[in-house]
């Protein structure tokens, strides 16, 4: 009897732990993809948890083109880009070259760099290096890295298979310093050299290797889908890819017909191995060819904040859990179209910045979660 009682006492904590583990695993099981009707009809019981206030503050207005690429440095400075498209931002003097703006802590927006070589997406790593995806439409069509402390600027990607990149659009950086970027063409008259739209990974040269020049580049996604925004989970083990494909190459580009696709939009998640290689895609959001996922950001809990500039459910911010559950959504002032989002840092870690298309504005809003920050 004593042995049986002792055995029961020893096994009880183990049984409780196993039950808790099973409950956790069941709760974390991936949800079926959110589809178009889910965006319109979902009852969002966690809305206040994510967006306790809807008091948007305008921090920048009056841009000519598309505001994009929100990223925050360690000192709290917020950087964003202005893509001065040749259609609409040109005059008798010629075509503008884009701008990168910065908002110092407690300060007002000022131009950080002009021209920006039509930079779109930005990311800042733990060493305060600004990574920029420089796009087409008379831009650089490359990826650059700028040391914000010294001002040192370097080009790290320009070609793949001896062909120039089409138009790098968005970037994300993992804890090993690897850069993931999307390459697609949405506008610009330049000849398209890469025959498919793709996502690439740049592997930084090992310290002491003596390597010089451009970084090693690997095409990791290449099914010709137009991946617009890219983002990493806080632990760097999941790559999120936002699909935004209007179905054409737009504005007179000279690419061959195979680049044209039926319009599609949604969010895919790829598990990454230790080397940064993706597994099979998991569909988190399917807009059923009726919308677009642009930029995105993650909070410390791994929730993904999506900028949807177009959707039958209306443009706005949509929040998905890592399992793919839609938990919150928010409409911008005047139902404007967001194209990029990003968090502040430090005391402003729960400040969400939102860039828009069409009206050239950047807003900010205090939210209920803290944004994830680059790892060491």
């Amino acid at each position: 009897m004593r042995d049986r009682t002792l055995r029961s006492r020893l096994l009880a904590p183990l049984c409780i732990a196993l039950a808790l583990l099973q409950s956790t695993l069941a709760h974390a099981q991936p949800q079926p993809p959110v589809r178009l009707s889910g965006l319109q009809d979902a009852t969002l019981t966690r809305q206040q948890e994510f967006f306790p206030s809807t008091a948007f503050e305008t921090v920048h207005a009056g841009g000519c083109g598309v505001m994009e690429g929100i990223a925050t440095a360690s000192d709290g400075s917020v950087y964003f880009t202005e893509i001065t498209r040749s259609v609409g931002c040109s005059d008798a003097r010629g075509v503008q070259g884009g701008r990168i703006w910065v908002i110092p802590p407690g300060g007002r927006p000022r131009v950080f760099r002009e021209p920006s070589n039509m930079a779109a997406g930005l990311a800042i790593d733990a060493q305060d290096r600004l990574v920029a995806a420089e796009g087409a439409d008379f831009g650089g069509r490359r990826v650059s890295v700028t040391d914000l402390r010294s001002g040192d600027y370097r080009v790290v990607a320009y070609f793949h298979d001896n062909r120039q990149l089409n138009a790098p659009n968005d970037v994300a950086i993992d804890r090993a310093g690897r850069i993931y970027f999307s390459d697609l063409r949405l506008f610009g008259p330049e000849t398209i050299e890469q025959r498919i739209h793709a996502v690439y990974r740049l592997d930084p040269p090992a310290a002491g290797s003596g390597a010089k020049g451009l970084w090693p580049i690997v095409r990791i996604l290449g099914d010709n889908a137009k991946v617009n925004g890219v983002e990493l989970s806080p632990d760097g083990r999941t790559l999120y890819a936002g699909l935004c494909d209007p179905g054409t190459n737009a504005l007179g580009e000279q690419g061959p017909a195979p680049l044209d696709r039926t319009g599609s939009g949604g969010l895919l998640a790829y598990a990454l191995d230790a080397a940064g290689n993706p597994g099979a895609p998991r569909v988190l959001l399917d807009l059923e060819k009726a919308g677009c996922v642009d930029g995105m950001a993650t909070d410390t809990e791994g929730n993904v904040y999506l900028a949807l500039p177009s959707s039958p459910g209306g443009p706005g911010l949509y929040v998905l859990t890592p399992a793919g559950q839609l938990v919150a959504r928010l409409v911008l002032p005047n139902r404007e179209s967001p194209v990029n989002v990003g968090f502040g840092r430090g005391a402003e870690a729960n400040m969400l910045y939102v860039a828009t298309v069409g009206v050239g504005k950047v807003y900010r809003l205090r939210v209920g979660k803290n944004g994830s920050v680059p790892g060491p």
Side-chain angles (χ1 to χ4, degrees):
M1 178 67 72
R2 181 182 301 173
D3 290 343
R4 185 179 302 170
T5 302
L6 180 60
R7 188 180 304 113
S8 299
R9 290 178 178 174
L10 291 173
L11 290 176
L14 178 60
C15 293
I16 293 172
L18 288 173
L20 289 173
L21 177 60
Q22 290 173 349
S23 174
T24 300
L25 290 175
H27 181 72
Q29 288 300 314
Q31 305 287 319
V34 177
R35 299 193 183 277
L36 196 60
S37 60
L39 289 181
Q40 298 168 292
D41 304 332
T43 300
L44 304 175
T45 58
R46 300 177 64 186
Q47 181 77 7
Q48 287 297 312
E49 178 185 341
F50 288 87
F51 298 124
S53 169
T54 58
F56 283 96
E57 176 190 358
T58 303
V59 295
H60 179 77
C64 173
V66 181
M67 313 313 277
E68 260 276 12
I70 296 168
T72 308
S74 63
D75 68 353
S77 296
V78 178
Y79 294 78
F80 59 92
T81 60
E82 180 182 355
I83 308 172
T84 54
R85 292 179 56 181
S86 60
V87 176
C89 297
S90 300
D91 56 27
R93 294 172 295 172
V95 178
Q96 298 182 42
R99 302 179 184 92
I100 297 177
W101 293 79
V102 60
I103 308 174
R108 299 176 60 84
R110 61 174 175 80
V111 174
F112 169 75
R113 178 188 297 160
E114 184 179 9
S116 68
N117 300 317
M118 291 299 184
L122 301 176
I124 299 176
D125 67 12
Q127 287 75 46
D128 271 344
R129 292 176 296 191
L130 176 71
V131 179
E134 300 180 7
D137 202 16
F138 308 104
R141 295 170 64 187
R142 59 198 179 194
V143 177
S144 65
V145 176
T146 301
D147 188 318
L148 292 176
R149 297 166 184 171
S150 67
D152 184 72
Y153 172 97
R154 290 287 187 272
V155 176
V156 295
Y158 193 80
F159 298 105
H160 180 262
D161 286 345
N162 296 317
R163 294 177 181 268
Q164 189 175 357
L165 298 169
N166 289 336
N169 183 80
D170 199 13
V171 289
I173 311 168
D174 69 12
R175 295 182 178 184
R178 294 177 292 223
I179 298 171
Y180 301 79
F181 72 93
S182 56
D183 183 47
L184 72 160
R185 182 67 68 81
L186 293 172
F187 45 82
E190 297 94 330
T191 299
I192 292 177
E193 296 185 32
Q194 297 294 332
R195 293 311 180 206
I196 61 174
H197 308 293
V199 175
Y200 298 89
R201 189 188 71 237
L202 297 174
D203 298 327
S209 66
K212 297 181 180 180
L214 301 177
W215 291 10
I217 184 170
V218 180
R219 179 186 285 161
I220 59 172
L221 300 178
D223 63 359
N224 207 26
K226 285 190 175 181
V227 174
N228 192 319
V230 292
E231 181 61 288
L232 292 166
S233 59
D235 63 3
R237 299 305 301 270
T238 301
L239 174 68
Y240 295 104
L243 299 182
C244 186
D245 192 342
T248 68
N249 290 326
L251 297 183
E253 293 156 331
Q254 301 173 32
L259 276 176
D260 291 341
R261 292 169 52 88
T262 301
S264 62
L267 180 67
L268 304 177
Y270 296 84
L272 298 175
D273 64 18
N277 299 309
R282 180 164 56 95
V283 180
L284 298 185
L285 172 64
D286 182 0
L287 291 176
E288 299 173 357
K289 300 182 181 181
C292 168
V293 173
D294 204 317
M296 64 192 84
T298 56
D299 63 27
T300 55
E301 298 174 7
N303 302 299
V304 190
Y305 296 66
L306 305 175
L308 267 63
S310 63
S311 167
L317 304 177
Y318 292 76
V319 183
L320 297 180
T321 67
Q325 180 185 9
L326 178 65
V327 289
R329 64 180 172 217
L330 194 62
V331 177
L332 269 64
N334 304 312
R335 297 184 66 83
E336 293 167 22
S337 295
V339 290
N340 202 264
V341 292
F343 284 91
R345 289 206 209 178
E348 299 294 301
N350 66 341
M351 187 68 79
L352 188 69
Y353 289 79
V354 186
T356 67
V357 63
V359 292
K361 291 183 180 179
V362 176
Y363 294 100
R364 65 185 173 194
L365 172 75
R366 187 108 22 208
V367 298
K369 307 290 183 181
N370 288 344
S372 62
V373 297

